[in-house]
Amino acid sequence: MKYYKIIHYCFLPILMLFFMSCEKDPDSYGAPEAVAYDNYSELTAIRTTIYEQMKYQLAFIDPYELVPENERATFQQKFEEDLAAFQGMQLSAILDIYVQQEIISPTFSEVYTKLMAAYQDDANASNFAFANQRIDRELAIIKKHPSLTTAEKKQLTTMAAVFQGANQYFLDTGFQLPDSQARGGCNWRESWGCIKEYTGTGMLVGFGVGIGMGPGGGVAFGVGTAAGFTIGLIQVIRGENGPCCESPDCNLVLGVSLRFDDCNPTATYLAYGFGADNTTLDWTNTGGTPASATTPTSDPRLAITQDNPTVAVNTDIVAVCVDGTTEANTLSFSRNLAELVKSVSGVNLLGPDQIYPGETYTYTGYGISANSNYNSQWFVDGGTIVTSSYNSATVRWDNDLSEGRLQLQVGNNCPDGEQRVFTLNVSGDGPIP
């Protein structure tokens, strides 16, 4: 699969003014529960984060804002340089380069290739479920693989979880591609294969860049992986499939993201994932106002208000093509805006969990920047928070640390807003070979 022109996009800025605290959690004193390394359940929690991100936020995200502010510019520059250098290469060739540069081992390359094969062979609802089952089997092999280091197992586990989160989103939406040839001459299944490989490449490059930025940085531990996947996906779907189809085509809508500007049950819906040959989108909203509307694909957004707080808004979107026909597949979904406006979703705490006592590490509140209704606080047991912002914290762990933990509390500012606490258990034995 070849890559074509990489398109960069401008996203709506999200203004974040969060009150941060470096106080220790009053409930965190006392010895935390010791955790031998089998924290794979904490790593796989990223699948829920990716799923929620795709379901609610994707079109409004600036993916580089997912990276800690103090590392963002370096990550973006290196990421874009590497993508440009890899332009036109197949994923297998990029893996070979990373092996030669000793960023990954030959075994890592082999296992990642198998993960990609398990990720998705075809784009229909039943195969998304089968794909996640195949990935589960690969995960079981990864955790016991005799030739992978613990660090490699952790990175591959995170990558697999990202794939599963994306698959779960497509499964829940009932997404599938028709068998017909696309109007622009780009076969639907060829297009899907490109999407799969392009997102896999974005994730691999994000991982490689993160590793190159050093083991003490937050980007090396899941953030680069997840951000790279998101960048790859956004560049495909927001680019009207440009990187994967040389000709314009008319695609069904891939998804819709929501943005709340205040605490009212009114959200701006932004559709994404259609082709350049789409002209308008026809919206029908049951339980929401307006009941129907047509938007141009040049500005595919619609403000919708929920009529009854106990009854969710059911929305159908039909893509209208330049020749007046409509896509056979209609995107249908339900959203309870009265509940979502108070919720916390698409957020996770990422960073190194095997550390050297007395050293300083960066941790990331992944996804916090996607919603201006969020506030955050950081708490540490067994270390000191040196600096913090709304979505990152730098922690110097105690010299005598055996076991510690870092907590990120994320709350929604709306009345009766949800509050979630994300915990990362830390071992002071250093990285396990």
Side-chain angles (χ1 to χ4, degrees):
M1 185 62 62
K2 298 293 184 181
Y3 298 102
Y4 302 100
K5 182 179 178 182
I6 296 173
I7 304 173
H8 301 285
Y9 304 95
C10 296
F11 296 83
L12 294 176
I14 303 175
L15 301 179
M16 310 293 290
L17 294 173
F18 289 130
F19 171 75
M20 304 302 301
S21 171
C22 293
E23 298 177 357
K24 291 198 173 187
D25 180 358
D27 297 326
S28 69
Y29 291 100
E33 181 181 356
V35 179
Y37 197 80
D38 193 15
N39 274 0
Y40 293 108
S41 61
E42 291 186 2
L43 296 176
T44 55
I46 192 68
R47 73 166 62 108
T48 301
T49 308
I50 294 297
Y51 166 77
E52 292 175 343
Q53 179 179 280
M54 291 184 67
K55 185 174 182 178
Y56 301 121
Q57 303 163 349
L58 186 64
F60 286 109
I61 288 176
D62 177 348
Y64 292 112
E65 287 193 359
L66 301 172
V67 177
E69 187 173 1
N70 63 331
E71 300 177 297
R72 189 177 303 157
T74 302
F75 178 85
Q76 181 172 352
Q77 179 180 351
K78 181 60 175 171
F79 185 90
E80 293 177 358
E81 287 176 354
D82 283 4
L83 273 185
F86 294 146
Q87 184 175 346
M89 291 186 185
Q90 295 184 356
L91 179 60
S92 58
I94 299 173
L95 286 167
D96 289 342
I97 291 173
Y98 276 176
V99 170
Q100 293 168 8
Q101 295 176 346
E102 298 184 347
I103 294 175
I104 61 175
S105 67
T107 303
F108 186 103
S109 175
E110 177 185 344
V111 174
Y112 187 71
T113 300
K114 291 180 179 179
L115 268 182
M116 285 294 298
Y119 173 27
Q120 188 53 270
D121 291 330
D122 199 3
N124 64 65
S126 60
N127 278 356
F128 286 118
F130 290 140
N132 275 356
Q133 293 172 14
R134 292 194 299 269
I135 292 175
D136 279 334
R137 290 194 290 270
E138 292 297 328
L139 278 170
I141 295 172
I142 288 168
K143 294 172 186 177
K144 298 179 180 180
H145 202 296
S147 300
L148 291 171
T149 67
T150 298
E152 288 176 324
K153 292 176 182 179
K154 290 162 65 177
Q155 293 288 0
L156 287 163
T157 298
T158 301
M159 290 171 162
V162 170
F163 285 148
Q164 287 187 316
N167 277 342
Q168 189 61 48
Y169 168 75
F170 290 122
L171 175 62
D172 285 2
T173 59
F175 178 80
Q176 65 181 48
L177 296 177
D179 293 322
S180 61
Q181 186 83 3
R183 289 173 177 77
C186 180
N187 181 278
W188 285 105
R189 302 194 185 286
E190 291 175 346
S191 175
W192 176 256
C194 179
I195 292 172
K196 178 185 74 170
E197 188 155 326
Y198 204 81
T199 53
T201 296
M203 182 163 70
L204 180 65
V205 173
F207 157 75
V209 172
I211 291 296
M213 290 175 65
V219 181
F221 295 87
V223 180
T225 296
F229 175 88
T230 305
I231 293 167
L233 182 59
I234 287 175
Q235 288 181 333
V236 172
I237 62 176
R238 296 285 287 163
E240 299 162 346
N241 231 19
C244 295
C245 291
E246 292 184 285
S247 302
D249 53 16
C250 188
N251 298 349
L252 59 141
V253 173
L254 186 61
V256 173
S257 296
L258 309 181
R259 187 188 67 195
F260 295 96
D261 294 323
D262 51 35
C263 295
N264 294 311
T266 297
T268 299
Y269 286 47
L270 179 59
Y272 61 83
F274 42 83
D277 209 20
N278 293 92
T279 56
T280 59
L281 303 178
D282 290 341
W283 304 66
T284 302
N285 304 303
T286 304
T289 302
S292 62
T294 297
T295 61
T297 53
S298 58
D299 188 18
R301 70 189 68 206
L302 182 66
I304 299 175
T305 300
Q306 186 168 335
D307 295 335
N308 186 329
T310 64
V311 180
V313 180
N314 296 310
T315 300
D316 298 320
I317 302 177
V318 177
V320 181
C321 307
V322 69
D323 59 5
T325 61
T326 59
E327 283 302 309
N329 289 15
T330 299
L331 180 67
S332 300
F333 57 95
S334 179
R335 299 287 184 268
N336 190 326
L337 304 183
E339 294 299 323
L340 287 174
V341 72
K342 300 182 292 184
S343 70
V344 173
S345 64
V347 175
N348 208 335
L349 170 56
L350 301 177
D353 61 350
Q354 295 174 290
I355 57 90
Y356 292 109
E359 297 296 323
T360 300
Y361 297 84
T362 299
Y363 295 85
T364 301
Y366 182 88
I368 295 177
S369 60
N371 193 320
S372 58
N373 282 340
Y374 293 168
N375 63 75
S376 60
Q377 288 181 282
W378 295 88
F379 304 101
V380 67
D381 185 17
T384 301
I385 296 177
V386 180
T387 60
S388 65
S389 67
Y390 67 91
N391 73 339
S392 68
T394 300
V395 177
R396 183 175 61 250
W397 294 103
D398 293 345
N399 292 329
D400 59 351
L401 179 74
S402 175
E403 304 289 341
R405 65 175 175 174
L406 181 67
Q407 290 185 319
L408 170 63
Q409 179 179 290
V410 181
N412 188 302
N413 294 320
C414 295
D416 300 319
E418 182 181 8
Q419 179 174 287
R420 294 174 65 179
V421 177
F422 302 87
T423 300
L424 186 67
N425 293 297
V426 174
S427 168
D429 297 329
I432 300 172

